[in-house]
Amino acid sequence: MPLIPFRCLLLGGLLTAIPLMGATVQADEPRARLNVQAEAQLDVVPDRATLSARLWERTPAIAPHDEDTDPDALRQARDRLEERAAALIRELEEAGVERDDINAGSLSVQPEYVPAPRRSDSDHEMLMRTRLDRPFQVRVDDLERLPRLLDALTAAGVNAMDGISYDLADRDAATDEALVKALEKARHKAELMARAMGVSLGAVTNISETRSPIYAPRMMAMSADARESGQAEYRPGTIVIEAGVSVSWEIGN
């Protein structure tokens, strides 16, 4: 092939490629976008509660320099604790609680130090005893029964009531509702901003979650009427679920 025609062919190919490259660069130019962040809060009335309580027994206090706790004393304390635990479970079952809704925790054993009786002729001495502790959790699916179950725990002689925690039987449904509410709020904000600026919303280009669901149970409250009457009225309040999203739209004139 002659040299001159080949050079002409090469030059023609380059001239043809330049407009195509220009079109590609123009197509890759970023389009204007509208970025919106929105948060939503959902107040949900709880439909489930968990009561937490503890039983414990102690061995007689002895001087720390003495031998370890008497095995018989430890066994007797444990037997007393198991008897009380069985009585507590019976009390709850009589109150209508299913066995599967009662969680009897593991037994824990720990030393306790208490001051010995003061004597005028000796220094103040510390004594040691062993405490056997067993926690209980009771799930309540009907909150109307809550006062009755608290009375049952009190009648069973629990040593400590560790409180009531409220929850939702279907957390996923509540989380989905909060997320949809946040997305709807984001779209409302975007449409409002677009109208104010005289532009139109295009396709959604990005959606992301900015806040994971946060459960914030409120403490139960007692009404003024209940305090005056002396009868407890338990109100769980609401569980607050918060959701946050970030959404981007293309915009045009």
Side-chain angles (χ1 to χ4, degrees):
M1 179 182 295
L3 181 60
I4 293 177
F6 177 75
R7 289 180 176 177
C8 292
L9 180 61
L10 179 60
L11 180 59
L14 291 174
L15 292 175
T16 303
I18 289 174
L20 295 177
M21 293 176 62
T24 303
V25 172
Q26 185 177 2
D28 291 341
E29 288 181 357
R31 300 188 61 180
R33 287 188 175 89
L34 174 62
N35 301 319
V36 174
Q37 289 188 347
E39 293 185 355
Q41 176 177 301
L42 184 66
D43 295 338
V44 185
V45 177
D47 55 9
R48 174 178 292 178
T50 301
L51 303 178
S52 298
R54 282 177 294 150
L55 296 174
W56 63 65
E57 287 288 340
R58 296 184 175 99
T59 62
I62 60 175
H65 52 75
D66 291 346
E67 296 182 357
D68 294 337
T69 303
D70 183 2
D72 289 338
L74 193 62
R75 178 181 53 78
Q76 292 172 7
R78 181 172 181 177
D79 290 343
R80 292 194 304 269
L81 182 61
E82 293 301 328
E83 290 176 2
R84 295 178 59 201
L88 172 59
I89 293 174
R90 287 195 302 269
E91 191 77 26
L92 291 172
E93 289 179 339
E94 291 176 1
V97 180
E98 298 292 335
R99 176 63 68 97
D100 292 341
D101 292 334
I102 304 173
N103 180 18
S106 301
L107 179 71
S108 65
V109 180
Q110 58 185 351
E112 287 185 342
Y113 293 90
V114 294
R118 184 179 295 276
R119 299 178 181 177
S120 58
D121 56 347
S122 64
D123 295 333
H124 196 58
E125 186 181 17
M126 297 298 294
L127 301 179
M128 185 190 74
R129 62 189 178 190
T130 301
R131 170 171 153 171
L132 293 84
D133 191 292
R134 191 167 188 186
F136 281 83
Q137 288 189 334
V138 183
R139 191 180 69 183
V140 184
D141 292 326
D142 181 5
L143 299 186
E144 295 295 330
R145 299 170 52 215
L146 192 57
R148 168 81 187 279
L149 298 180
L150 288 170
D151 291 342
L153 290 173
T154 303
V158 296
N159 296 101
M161 287 288 299
D162 293 334
I164 306 172
S165 60
Y166 294 97
D167 202 349
L168 299 172
D170 191 350
R171 286 188 176 186
D172 291 340
T175 301
D176 292 347
E177 186 177 351
L179 186 58
V180 169
K181 190 175 180 180
L183 290 169
E184 291 174 346
K185 187 174 181 179
R187 173 170 285 279
H188 173 74
K189 291 175 63 175
E191 292 174 347
L192 181 63
M193 295 168 68
R195 285 196 304 268
M197 300 304 296
V199 297
S200 61
L201 290 179
V204 175
T205 60
N206 181 68
I207 305 175
S208 61
E209 190 177 28
T210 60
R211 178 191 290 270
S212 298
I214 299 176
Y215 294 86
R218 295 175 183 172
M219 299 297 292
M220 67 180 182
M222 183 183 295
S223 67
D225 293 339
R227 288 195 295 268
E228 292 175 0
S229 64
Q231 295 180 352
E233 181 180 351
Y234 300 98
R235 296 185 177 180
T238 57
I239 293 178
V240 179
I241 305 175
E242 297 177 346
V245 296
S246 176
V247 187
S248 299
W249 282 267
E250 289 183 350
I251 58 174
N253 297 330

